[in-house]
Amino acid sequence: MAMDEVKDEFLYTVTHELRTPLTSIRALTELVHDNQDMPDAKKTEFLAAVIREAERLSHLITQVLKLERFESGKQGLSFESVSMDQLVQELLPDLQPLAQRKQVRILTQLTNPIPAAELDPSLIRQVWYNLLTNAIRFAPENSIITIQLASTENNLRCSIKDQGKGIPTESLELIFDKFYQAPNQTLKKPEGSGLGLAISKKIIELHNGTIHAENSEQGGACFIFNLPISKTSS
Amino acid sequence: MPAKKILVVDDDPYILMSLEFLMQKNGYAVIVARNGTEALQLVQQESPDLVLLDIMMPDVDGFEICKFIKEHPTLKQVIVVFLSAKTREADQRKGLELGAAKYVFKPFSTRSLIKEINQLLQ
């Protein structure tokens, strides 16, 4: 596909994705407006949905702009020496409310002492956040998500494993594409923007790292990313 | 005369919620399907008068459902109206060629949608 066609296709997909929350917002507000006799409980339910859909719309716009910055090369990296273990521990409390709603426990395992790595902490935090919110979304209730950190001479290896139903084999690579949805999902969104994994992949690649997904033998999906420990070792 | 029956198919819970309210408010009996598989079951089980059909769904898409309905010996008279965020002319043409009575773009106005539905079910 020529560059223009790729851009057109992306633009079409984005507008398509924007139309969906806009549809709910328009329909629900029109109904509240046109039906003065609507019971209060119904009105509250509809307006709460309007608020959620407006939030989804702004999240989507933020994500699209973020991705555009990465893809156009406008996003620079601010490298710092970071303890990955500490970065993860600091991030987990933000995810607790989401995890607790599903009674999901998040365990962290270190297979060896993890050396500090040179990376952009705020961007890597976004990757963890995206992968962990995804894992929680697809994890069954009362299950465990396992984070593993390991290091070799030059690389950090980070993985996140859930106990969900896994990813269809044919989708393992496609899930990093923008707006891709695996066919075994029965309910679409509304939580995600469909861009989280595409953004995560871009961030890891900007660090000269790699990311992929696989299904673990016990069932469940596992996302693994490798990052060079120092900028020069990449 | 019993109320006319409408099957609403959409995988977005909020769109479903608004359409269900709109149709009930206008005196129709409403059944909802949250995905394509459910839609295929319900259309056979309930023989609705009209189906409001989303296109992009993760399991079976709306085009396939419309094709199924229009090729089915006893269901082919069921009126199909597509409601879709797919706004390319080619998609609209495909929807109408498959036998849909209307192809409405999302976001739609509930006010004009109900007028169109009322006309189709007169």
Side-chain angles (χ1 to χ4, degrees):
Chain A
M1 236 191 289
M3 204 52 214
D4 277 355
E5 280 176 52
V6 175
K7 272 200 166 151
D8 282 355
E9 194 55 39
F10 181 60
L11 195 64
Y12 176 71
T13 317
V14 169
T15 52
H16 174 270
E17 292 296 313
L18 294 172
R19 278 172 193 277
T20 305
L22 206 52
T23 303
S24 314
I25 293 172
R26 176 159 191 192
L28 293 164
T29 44
E30 270 182 8
L31 292 173
V32 172
H33 180 271
D34 295 350
N35 293 277
Q36 300 295 330
D37 57 341
M38 186 186 279
D40 281 351
K42 194 89 200 154
K43 223 178 267 178
T44 310
E45 188 190 358
F46 277 23
L47 292 177
V50 170
I51 294 169
R52 284 192 61 164
E53 289 295 86
E55 281 168 0
R56 179 173 149 198
L57 204 50
S58 34
H59 176 63
L60 187 60
I61 292 167
T62 314
Q63 297 281 77
V64 168
L65 293 175
K66 213 182 262 178
L67 192 62
E68 202 277 327
R69 280 185 68 82
F70 288 131
E71 295 199 327
S72 63
K74 280 182 223 140
Q75 175 77 43
L77 300 186
S78 311
F79 282 97
E80 281 175 39
S81 176
V82 176
S83 153
M84 190 64 101
D85 176 28
Q86 202 182 333
L87 184 144
V88 172
Q89 294 313 322
E90 284 169 3
L91 173 94
L92 290 181
D94 294 344
L95 292 155
Q96 274 315 319
L98 195 63
Q100 270 164 8
R101 240 178 283 157
K102 291 182 81 175
Q103 314 262 346
V104 167
R105 280 203 305 147
I106 305 176
L107 301 181
T108 312
Q109 295 173 346
L110 307 182
T111 51
N112 50 339
I114 305 298
E118 283 177 71
L119 42 87
D120 183 322
S122 90
L123 294 184
I124 295 299
R125 208 171 284 128
Q126 281 182 39
V127 173
W128 280 107
Y129 191 83
N130 289 342
L131 295 179
L132 284 166
T133 44
N134 259 356
I136 298 170
R137 270 175 68 196
F138 294 107
E141 300 223 341
N142 279 308
S143 65
I144 293 170
I145 291 170
T146 313
I147 296 175
Q148 270 188 340
L149 301 178
S151 63
T152 58
E153 199 184 335
N154 295 323
N155 285 294
L156 281 188
R157 183 184 189 273
C158 310
S159 69
I160 297 169
K161 196 167 71 184
D162 67 49
Q163 295 176 321
K165 58 184 170 184
I167 301 161
T169 318
E170 69 274 17
S171 301
L172 283 171
E173 282 181 28
L174 300 171
I175 49 172
F176 293 97
D177 289 354
K178 299 162 212 168
F179 299 117
Y180 182 77
Q181 289 247 317
N184 65 338
Q185 287 176 247
T186 44
L187 255 187
K188 195 158 62 173
K189 303 165 258 187
E191 304 102 39
S193 64
L195 292 173
L197 287 177
I199 290 173
S200 302
K201 187 169 183 220
K202 267 275 160 300
I203 293 175
I204 297 295
E205 285 173 354
L206 283 174
H207 284 82
N208 288 318
T210 57
I211 183 167
H212 75 277
E214 57 190 43
N215 289 310
S216 61
E217 279 168 25
Q218 306 91 328
C222 186
F223 285 84
I224 299 156
F225 61 94
N226 290 289
L227 288 170
I229 288 173
S230 69
K231 277 193 288 177
T232 45
S233 70
S234 59
Chain B
M1 202 172 71
K4 293 262 171 87
K5 207 190 279 181
I6 299 182
L7 171 64
V8 185
V9 187
D10 205 300
D11 63 345
D12 185 286
Y14 300 133
I15 295 176
L16 215 49
M17 186 161 102
S18 61
L19 290 171
E20 188 180 14
F21 180 88
L22 178 67
M23 298 305 145
Q24 273 170 353
K25 182 79 194 173
N26 284 276
Y28 296 112
V30 184
I31 326 147
V32 298
R34 289 164 191 80
N35 54 54
T37 315
E38 242 179 64
L40 285 175
Q41 270 168 16
L42 286 171
V43 76
Q44 295 174 81
Q45 207 173 300
E46 302 277 345
S47 309
D49 297 285
L50 185 144
V51 182
L52 276 177
L53 193 52
D54 181 24
I55 294 175
M56 300 250 288
M57 290 179 289
D59 52 350
V60 185
D61 79 28
F63 288 136
E64 284 177 56
I65 296 168
C66 181
K67 191 163 178 280
F68 173 83
I69 292 172
K70 293 299 168 187
E71 285 173 0
H72 194 283
T74 57
L75 293 172
K76 59 180 173 216
Q77 80 294 347
V78 174
I79 302 167
V80 174
V81 174
F82 281 117
L83 287 180
S84 181
K86 282 167 89 79
T87 51
R88 284 189 173 136
E89 217 176 287
D91 292 315
Q92 188 178 25
R93 203 180 317 124
K94 181 173 175 186
L96 296 173
E97 275 168 12
L98 283 171
K102 293 244 179 253
Y103 189 110
V104 178
F105 290 157
K106 287 177 178 173
F108 52 84
S109 153
T110 52
R111 299 162 189 171
S112 42
L113 179 67
I114 197 64
K115 274 188 211 149
E116 306 219 34
I117 301 296
N118 287 341
Q119 267 172 16
L120 287 168
L121 285 174
Q122 248 173 22

